[in-house]
């Protein structure tokens, strides 16, 4: 069973659970996400859809990032070894701390050819220069480019 984690003296990862505080904060975080940096959705889901999604616990690990009593953002690791970090306010130092902590603390799931890489990956929007810079600084390398294909009738 996954617990809460201490990242540094004042930064904690709190396991997401289906309680009102987490539901409300994660919805605010979703509402505040810059549209141009979003790769997972085009339209904001309803709060009901959001709660249903949260209660399905779709990620391998999912945490709220907290400093003292202040909620700063969220991070998760998918079952495909994909890491994501979303903050209310971008903070390069905090992003580096969280990525570094995840890499040190968690092990990627075993590679499944054509399905899952053996290492952690991060998908970022093509115009997210801050995250690209941070990932390169941490030794990350670009392994793919992704395109959407709209269906034509």
């Amino acid at each position: 069973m996954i617990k809460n984690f201490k990242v540094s003296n004042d930064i904690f990862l709190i396991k997401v659970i289906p309680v009102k505080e987490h539901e409300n904060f994660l919805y605010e975080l979703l509402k505040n996400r810059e549209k141009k940096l979003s790769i997972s959705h085009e339209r904001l889901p309803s709060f009901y859809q959001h709660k249903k999604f949260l209660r399905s616990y779709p990620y391998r690990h999912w945490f709220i990032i907290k400093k003292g009593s202040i909620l700063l953002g969220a991070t998760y690791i998918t079952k495909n070894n994909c890491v994501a970090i979303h903050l209310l306010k971008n903070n390069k130092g905090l992003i580096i701390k969280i990525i570094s902590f995840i890499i040190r603390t968690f092990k990627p799931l075993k590679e499944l050819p054509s399905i899952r890489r053996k290492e952690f990956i991060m998908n970022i929007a093509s115009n997210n220069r801050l995250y690209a810079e941070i990932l390169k600084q941490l030794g990350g390398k670009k392994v793919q480019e992704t395109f959407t294909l709209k269906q034509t009738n």
Side-chain angles (χ1 to χ4, degrees):
M1 181 185 206
I2 293 294
K3 53 185 171 35
N4 300 334
F5 290 93
K6 183 176 182 176
V7 176
S8 65
N9 286 338
D10 57 350
I11 304 293
F12 294 86
L13 299 183
I14 309 301
K15 183 179 181 198
V16 170
I17 54 175
V19 296
K20 204 174 255 328
E21 179 188 22
H22 290 192
E23 292 168 347
N24 290 340
F25 174 72
L26 291 169
Y27 195 65
E28 282 304 309
L29 187 61
L30 192 58
K31 285 188 344 190
N32 286 312
R33 193 176 302 169
E34 282 186 63
K35 213 170 184 60
K36 68 180 183 178
L37 298 179
S38 181
I39 58 173
S40 62
H41 66 279
E42 291 181 11
R43 278 183 278 146
L44 183 70
S46 70
F47 187 68
Y48 172 78
Q49 291 168 319
H50 165 73
K51 277 175 41 174
K52 190 174 172 183
F53 179 80
L54 186 146
R55 290 167 191 260
S56 75
Y57 208 81
Y59 307 121
R60 180 175 162 218
H61 301 296
W62 194 4
F63 302 101
I64 289 177
I65 303 165
K66 191 172 184 178
K67 181 176 183 174
S69 61
I70 301 167
L71 305 180
L72 304 173
T75 185
Y76 59 80
I77 303 170
T78 71
K79 294 170 183 108
N80 282 335
N81 292 334
C82 184
V83 175
I85 301 171
H86 300 287
L87 301 174
L88 284 174
K89 211 179 211 182
N90 273 335
N91 177 322
K92 185 176 179 180
L94 180 59
I95 296 166
I96 290 169
K97 264 186 195 176
I98 299 299
I99 293 171
S100 299
F101 179 83
I102 287 171
I103 291 168
R104 280 193 322 271
T105 308
F106 298 94
K107 288 190 183 300
L109 294 175
K110 186 179 171 200
E111 177 182 24
L112 294 173
S114 294
I115 296 173
R116 177 172 62 214
R117 294 185 64 89
K118 64 182 177 186
E119 61 274 294
F120 287 123
I121 61 168
M122 283 189 79
N123 292 317
I124 62 171
S126 57
N127 58 349
N128 192 335
R129 290 188 181 92
L130 174 64
Y131 276 70
E133 174 190 322
I134 290 168
L135 292 168
K136 286 176 190 165
Q137 181 182 331
L138 292 173
K141 67 175 189 177
K142 189 175 184 177
V143 294
Q144 80 176 37
E145 290 189 52
T146 304
F147 296 85
T148 60
L149 300 169
K150 303 269 186 207
Q151 277 208 288
T152 57
N153 293 337

